[in-house]
């Protein structure tokens, strides 16, 4: 099985995706991970084994506990492949920023070209003309 298929198969299960989300901030022990699920500890251990075999997590033995951490590189390969399906063309963010600049510049120029309304005097009342 190729690397991409292995990773995709491993993240197909919602419990394993939740485990990956938990590990994105900091490593956790198997017990800390299992405590967050309503399933048995052996079931969580099986999910961790699948993630470990797919190379998505790394387990390090510290004393009596195994601490799991995320392996970002393996997810990076999947993200790069999924990026091939991005609908926006490269360079659009720069084009939109340039358009925004032009809109602001046009508005500014229009304001400068308008006659200054503050320097006009108010029309005279009837009392002033009588």
């Amino acid at each position: 099985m190729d690397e991409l298929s292995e990773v995709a198969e491993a993240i197909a299960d919602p419990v394993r995706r939740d485990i990956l989300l938990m590990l994105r901030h900091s490593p956790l022990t198997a017990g800390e991970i299992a405590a967050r699920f309503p399933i048995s500890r052996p079931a969580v251990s099986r999910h961790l084994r699948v993630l470990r075999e797919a190379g998505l997590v790394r387990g390090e033995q510290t004393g009596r506990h195994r601490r799991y951490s995320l392996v970002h590189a393996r997810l990076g390969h999947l993200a790069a492949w999924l990026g091939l399906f991005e609908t926006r063309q490269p360079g659009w963010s720069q084009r939109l920023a340039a358009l925004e600049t032009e809109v602001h510049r046009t508005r500014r120029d229009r304001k400068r070209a308008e006659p200054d309304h503050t320097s006009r005097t108010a029309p005279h009342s009837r009392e002033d003309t009588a």
Side-chain angles (χ1 to χ4, degrees):
M1 181 181 307
D2 69 5
E3 176 182 336
L4 196 56
S5 297
E6 194 174 26
V7 170
E9 187 176 309
I11 66 170
D13 187 279
V15 171
R16 292 194 283 268
R17 290 193 305 268
D18 285 345
I19 292 170
L20 293 175
L21 287 172
M22 287 178 200
L23 295 175
R24 73 176 186 237
H25 297 297
S26 65
L28 296 170
T29 64
E32 291 169 327
I33 294 168
R36 298 181 186 188
F37 288 101
I39 59 178
S40 70
R41 287 175 91 99
V44 171
S45 290
R46 285 190 295 275
H47 285 295
L48 287 167
R49 181 176 40 83
V50 170
L51 291 171
R52 197 174 57 246
E53 288 174 357
L56 292 168
V57 299
R58 180 179 302 116
E60 183 181 317
Q61 194 72 35
T62 53
R64 291 181 38 197
H65 303 282
R66 181 173 288 272
R67 183 172 293 278
Y68 287 90
S69 58
L70 186 62
V71 178
H72 295 276
R74 291 287 281 195
L75 289 171
H77 296 132
L78 178 62
W81 184 80
L82 290 172
L84 297 173
F85 300 95
E86 180 65 35
T87 57
R88 290 186 285 164
Q89 303 241 337
W92 272 107
S93 60
Q94 292 87 358
R95 291 177 185 158
L96 291 174
L99 177 62
E100 182 180 23
T101 300
E102 283 301 313
V103 168
H104 287 294
R105 183 177 296 140
T106 302
R107 286 180 181 164
R108 183 194 65 210
D109 292 347
R110 282 185 185 163
K111 283 184 180 180
R112 288 182 182 167
E114 289 178 2
D116 189 8
H117 297 288
T118 58
S119 64
R120 291 185 183 169
T121 57
H124 297 289
S125 67
R126 286 189 184 171
E127 294 172 357
D128 293 339
T129 57

